[in-house]
Amino acid sequence: MDSTYDLVIIGAGPTGLFAAYYAGFRGLSMAVVDSLPEPGGQVTAMYPEKMIFDVGGFAAVRGRDLVQGLVDQVAPWRPDYRLGRKAEKLESVDGGVELTLDGGEVLRAGAVLVTAGIGEFTPRPLPAGDGWLGRGMVHFVPSLGAHAGQHVVVVGGGDSAFDWCLALHPIAASVTLVHRRAKFRAAESIVREVRGLGVRMITDAEVTRFVETPSGELAGVRVSVKNGEDEQLPANAVVAALGFTADLGPIESWGLEIDHRAISVDSTMATARPRVYAAGDVAAYPGKVKLIATGFGEAATAVNNIAVALDPDAHLFPGHSSNAE
């Protein structure tokens, strides 16, 4: 059955959730669409257990706690979530837009706000781990507690790999980092921090084979070291933190101006297409800084301008929420 809203938000990450809150504050009905099965976007999927340090008002906040706070914040406005659904087709109609989801459902709205972050992301594979995903190998760590007392091998050399080393070190039996190059892509400060904890780092090396127990569980990994001898490491879990590829999917065919996998917007967060706006990491303009805090501000800017587009008699600035009763 087709549904009608004032606003449809594509992307349920932090920016999208805050946009939904602000839409409710402005008295707009809204639906929130995301291809992932849970709200939170990249934060929920990739680093729910990591601490985030650059959100205003928090000295540090765990990813999953930030998402829960945003979900709780928007809850009174009763957003209509369409999770685990993909936005496929966007058409302009008189006075608004029609968004077709996978499966054929059509959402009609006065406007669309795209908060899709980096788009659909796919983790880069670890060839030796083929067939082990969910059986001992993960790309992200949904729950640190699941690895308490385990021997963990982290594969990668970027910030995420080192973040997982930091997070897992206090609870795992051991943490070993394996990287195929001699130099790391991660910031030097985090490399020093992990090295200071005594985490073993094996460089110029690759994981070549997963070793299993007779019952089919992960027991260890074989590591091939350049100009060195192969070694077998104990491993109950492998975190393949090799980065990911991302694309905007069908959004790229919607007649928007795309700049390096992001959508060009003006100062109102409007795109090149009427009644279509963008905010957060997916939005591009000169001087853009990609932070969660930036996305929050862009979400408020977009929703306030959408409110005026839907009702020209509405005020752009609705007043401070602290004045609301």
Side-chain angles (χ1 to χ4, degrees):
M1 184 176 67
D2 299 345
S3 302
T4 301
Y5 306 90
D6 294 318
L7 175 64
V8 171
I9 298 167
I10 302 173
T15 297
L17 292 171
F18 188 70
Y21 156 75
Y22 217 93
F25 176 65
R26 289 298 314 244
L28 305 179
S29 61
M30 91 296 293
V32 181
V33 179
D34 201 296
S35 61
L36 296 173
E38 298 179 75
Q42 189 177 340
V43 173
T44 295
M46 297 176 65
Y47 46 92
E49 293 287 354
K50 290 185 183 178
M51 302 305 293
I52 301 172
F53 299 94
D54 54 7
V55 176
F58 295 96
V61 59
R62 197 173 302 278
R64 67 167 70 253
D65 294 335
L66 175 63
V67 170
Q68 188 58 56
L70 288 162
V71 169
D72 292 343
Q73 184 180 28
V74 71
W77 307 114
R78 298 185 178 182
D80 193 352
Y81 288 107
R82 294 289 198 283
L83 301 177
R85 305 291 301 279
K86 291 186 178 182
E88 294 191 336
K89 186 177 180 181
L90 182 67
E91 296 180 293
S92 297
V93 296
D94 289 341
V97 293
E98 287 186 348
L99 183 71
T100 303
L101 307 183
D102 56 340
E105 182 183 10
V106 176
L107 305 182
R108 296 184 175 89
V112 162
L113 174 58
V114 183
T115 57
I118 60 174
E120 296 181 43
F121 50 91
T122 303
R124 289 193 173 94
L126 176 62
D130 186 32
W132 282 94
L133 188 62
R135 298 178 50 222
M137 187 183 77
V138 296
H139 293 292
F140 318 112
V141 181
S143 173
L144 291 176
H147 302 293
Q150 291 189 336
H151 297 287
V152 182
V153 173
V154 179
V155 184
D159 288 333
S160 290
F162 280 86
D163 282 341
W164 291 128
C165 288
L166 285 176
L168 290 165
H169 180 265
I171 65 169
S174 70
V175 177
T176 305
L177 179 76
V178 178
H179 183 44
R180 63 191 179 95
R181 294 191 176 94
K183 293 185 177 180
F184 300 113
R185 301 186 311 277
E188 181 58 32
S189 59
I190 193 173
V191 174
R192 285 197 304 268
E193 188 176 359
V194 171
R195 185 172 281 127
L197 292 174
V199 171
R200 186 184 179 196
M201 301 181 188
I202 306 176
T203 57
D204 277 333
E206 294 188 60
V207 172
T208 57
R209 185 165 66 89
F210 280 47
V211 180
E212 61 183 297
T213 67
S215 60
E217 297 178 345
L218 181 62
V221 295
R222 294 288 296 177
V223 176
S224 175
V225 183
K226 185 179 179 181
N227 300 323
E229 296 184 0
D230 287 5
E231 181 179 354
Q232 182 165 318
L233 302 175
N236 307 113
V238 172
V239 181
L242 301 171
F244 51 86
T245 58
D247 66 73
L248 295 178
I251 293 174
E252 293 199 58
S253 66
W254 290 357
L256 306 173
E257 185 179 334
I258 305 296
D259 178 16
H260 294 88
R261 294 200 304 271
I263 302 169
S264 295
V265 297
D266 63 18
S267 60
T268 70
M269 310 312 296
T271 71
R273 188 165 175 175
R275 297 296 182 99
V276 181
Y277 296 72
D281 284 357
V282 77
Y285 51 83
K288 170 66 177 270
V289 177
K290 292 187 176 183
L291 293 172
I292 290 175
T294 305
F296 289 161
E298 291 172 355
T301 296
V303 171
N304 280 318
N305 281 280
I306 289 168
V308 174
L310 298 182
D311 179 7
D313 292 330
H315 293 289
L316 178 63
F317 178 58
H320 296 290
S321 60
S322 57
N323 295 332
E325 295 184 0

